[in-house]
Amino acid sequence: MAAAFRNEMLYAEPYVAQKSYQLVRLDGSGSREDTQASGVRNRQLFGLDSNELGACMVEVGEPAWRGRQLAEAIYCQRITELSEITTLPKTLRTRLALEGWEVGRPWIIQLFQSSDGTERYLVQGQAADALTVETVWMPEGDGGETGDGSDPEKPNGVDRRWERATICVSSQVGCAVNCQFCLTARLGLQRNLSAGEIAGQVLAVFDRHGVEVGRDRVNLVFMGMGEPFLNYDNFMGAVRLLVEEVGLSPRRMTVSTSGIVPGIERFAQEPAELRPKLAISLNAPNDEIRGQIMPINRKWPIEAVIAAVGRLQLRPRERITFEYVLLGGVNDRPEQAAELARLVRRTGIAAKVNLIAWNPGPGIAYATPQPEAVDAFRVALGDGGIPVYLRKPHGRDIYAACGQLKRTVEG
Ligand code: SAH
Ligand code: SF4
């Protein structure tokens, strides 16, 4: 009941006023050359794990244990310039630079600040195409994912400055999945991000906010641009870097998929100490509606998705999240809530539902649901025995809310 009450409170908050954003240019952060004067193309250390860094060291005639030193420097101390890694002898730093190595971590080139504290960043990596992706910082969390399920009201000795802070991370530039209500879909897929480009978004935001791993508890949601399970290896490569090298817990990470069945099946095989939590963008109570709004449903219908999700070995207290974007007049009626409750109960999976009121985007012909419809839907789901949360729209004024991430700088 406490959760229901909190959700009402969240929904009661007014939308952020238009034009309240502030655009900050970070031109001083320095552009980098892809190619040295000698014509040697730079090679990035960021994105390689300790073993791979060790292999690089061996390649340049150094002992493999220097890989561990390098990993410590770039993932724990978050050093971004080779010349500043003082645990390496100066001569070695110079030699690595001459041979074309650089740290090469992605960096924030522009940021948009919302009046509600949300920040949206354009993050650029070292690739020659200079494409940018978007990453979002929500200091208050999003009301949906609360990390490891612990009660945030209970003091636990941890610095609670950002007990609910959440970073929303992108996995691809654009997306190929073509959900009809999503702005990112309009870009099409431009390319996959590398593991370093995915993990680098997190460290760039950590630096911006002075996040100290081990002291501050920050949640990660892989819910930005792109479909993580259509870039599976790089997505899991990033998770591995964040867990094994940076020291984050996968229990404070959630990955969202539109229902890519082979990806869910692989994910179910990942070891518990590495596997983030799983969210499924369900968005409809039946195949008919889901097929209309998410064409991917024709390839992998609801039953196939549910069967794959059922293979996950959930940790104690872990639940699967079903995300449900409410589209006014399409999937927001109380009888559809009842149908959704029956569907979720029938799966037998420990689950909760996160409701998200659709965020409008230019040129997308859906309607935002009426507040009363959202409330009635939430109540009907709760009456149907399903734990339900309402996600708070964040940073609407800066297009940082769900489905609004698009690689353009709105004027
Ligand atoms: N591609 C993945 C993760 C990114 S989308 C996926 O689809 O799950 C993250 C969430 O935003 C999804 O649940 C999606 O259904 C939702 N979403 C997309 N467009 C939206 C919009 N315009 N308003 C609200 N939520 C949206
Ligand atoms: Fe891609 Fe997710 Fe948008 Fe669908 S909702 S188009 S899968 S980003």
Side-chain angles (χ1 to χ4, degrees):
M1 276 304 102
F5 175 70
R6 201 183 83 202
N7 290 337
E8 268 167 34
M9 297 294 289
L10 291 177
Y11 200 77
E13 286 182 21
Y15 292 158
V16 196
Q18 290 291 315
K19 295 205 175 116
S20 54
Y21 66 78
Q22 213 186 327
L23 170 62
V24 183
R25 285 183 188 279
L26 299 179
D27 294 338
S29 54
S31 65
R32 292 165 200 208
E33 294 295 317
D34 272 320
T35 311
Q36 294 190 324
S38 60
V40 180
R41 200 167 155 73
N42 282 350
R43 293 188 286 177
Q44 285 83 42
L45 297 166
F46 195 91
L48 304 178
D49 65 20
S50 295
N51 290 335
E52 291 164 332
L53 289 168
C56 281
M57 291 294 96
V58 170
E59 215 182 280
V60 297
E62 290 289 320
W65 53 261
R66 289 229 179 268
R68 193 52 253 154
Q69 280 185 323
L70 264 175
E72 167 74 22
I74 64 182
Y75 298 115
C76 301
Q77 298 180 54
R78 306 202 292 255
I79 298 174
T80 55
E81 294 301 330
L82 199 49
S83 59
E84 287 165 17
I85 304 181
T86 49
T87 45
L88 298 185
K90 197 156 189 212
T91 48
L92 176 56
R93 284 177 258 161
T94 312
R95 191 148 53 88
L96 285 172
L98 282 173
E99 290 184 17
W101 287 103
E102 62 181 2
V103 174
R105 193 181 87 186
W107 75 104
I108 295 171
I109 58 166
Q110 211 168 70
L111 78 84
F112 305 82
Q113 289 174 316
S114 169
S115 51
D116 67 3
T118 301
E119 291 186 348
R120 172 167 72 113
Y121 314 99
L122 288 187
V123 179
Q124 194 174 72
Q126 310 297 328
D129 58 20
L131 287 173
T132 54
V133 287
E134 307 199 352
T135 311
V136 180
W137 162 265
M138 292 167 279
E140 298 277 321
D142 68 359
E145 306 302 333
T146 50
D148 59 8
S150 61
D151 183 350
E153 302 305 321
K154 281 188 190 143
N156 49 15
V158 175
D159 186 314
R160 294 167 64 230
R161 274 191 300 164
W162 300 311
E163 191 69 6
R164 296 170 59 213
T166 300
I167 300 174
C168 181
V169 182
S170 292
S171 55
Q172 297 180 309
V173 187
C175 186
V177 178
N178 199 24
C179 302
Q180 300 296 293
F181 48 81
C182 174
L183 204 54
T184 304
R186 299 296 165 103
L187 285 174
L189 176 65
Q190 303 197 6
R191 73 167 167 83
N192 280 334
L193 295 180
S194 66
E197 287 174 320
I198 298 171
Q201 296 169 57
V202 176
L203 295 204
V205 177
F206 276 10
D207 273 354
R208 163 146 179 87
H209 290 282
V211 172
E212 223 176 88
V213 175
R215 182 195 67 182
D216 302 318
R217 304 191 355 164
V218 174
N219 301 308
L220 302 185
V221 294
F222 295 92
M223 297 186 184
M225 292 167 80
E227 169 49 63
F229 285 1
L230 290 179
N231 185 18
Y232 190 89
D233 291 329
N234 293 345
F235 157 68
M236 272 312 293
V239 169
R240 209 167 291 122
L241 290 173
L242 292 167
V243 171
E244 292 175 352
E245 309 292 351
V246 180
L248 304 180
S249 165
R251 296 173 59 110
R252 301 195 72 85
M253 302 177 188
T254 303
V255 60
S256 173
T257 177
S258 55
I260 308 298
V261 166
I264 301 170
E265 286 170 345
R266 284 185 71 183
F267 192 68
Q269 306 292 323
E270 299 290 351
E273 61 275 15
L274 210 59
R275 180 178 60 70
K277 295 184 294 177
L278 182 63
I280 302 287
S281 296
L282 191 56
N283 298 336
N286 58 51
D287 282 324
E288 197 193 333
I289 299 177
R290 196 165 191 265
Q292 285 164 16
I293 61 178
M294 299 178 72
I296 192 83
N297 193 72
R298 295 175 210 152
K299 186 156 187 184
W300 291 299
I302 294 175
E303 286 310 319
V305 173
I306 299 288
V309 171
R311 297 193 189 165
L312 261 79
Q313 282 245 304
L314 298 184
R315 288 167 286 229
R317 288 184 295 124
E318 182 179 358
R319 284 182 297 187
I320 299 290
T321 301
F322 289 113
E323 294 167 281
Y324 194 100
V325 180
L326 288 159
L327 305 164
V330 175
N331 64 359
D332 66 340
R333 289 198 302 277
E335 59 271 26
Q336 290 165 325
E339 192 181 355
L340 176 64
R342 283 196 299 278
L343 170 67
V344 174
R345 280 203 311 269
R346 190 160 46 79
T347 67
I349 293 169
K352 59 174 172 158
V353 171
N354 274 1
L355 297 176
I356 317 162
W358 180 68
N359 291 310
I364 307 188
Y366 285 105
T368 305
Q370 296 299 319
E372 307 77 51
V374 174
D375 210 45
F377 198 95
R378 181 178 60 71
V379 169
L381 258 185
D383 289 349
I386 307 298
V388 52
Y389 298 83
L390 184 63
R391 285 242 301 258
K392 183 178 168 184
H394 270 99
R396 280 185 185 228
D397 53 342
I398 55 168
Y399 281 90
C402 287
Q404 294 189 315
L405 296 182
K406 190 164 167 285
R407 211 220 89 227
T408 49
V409 181
E410 286 86 356

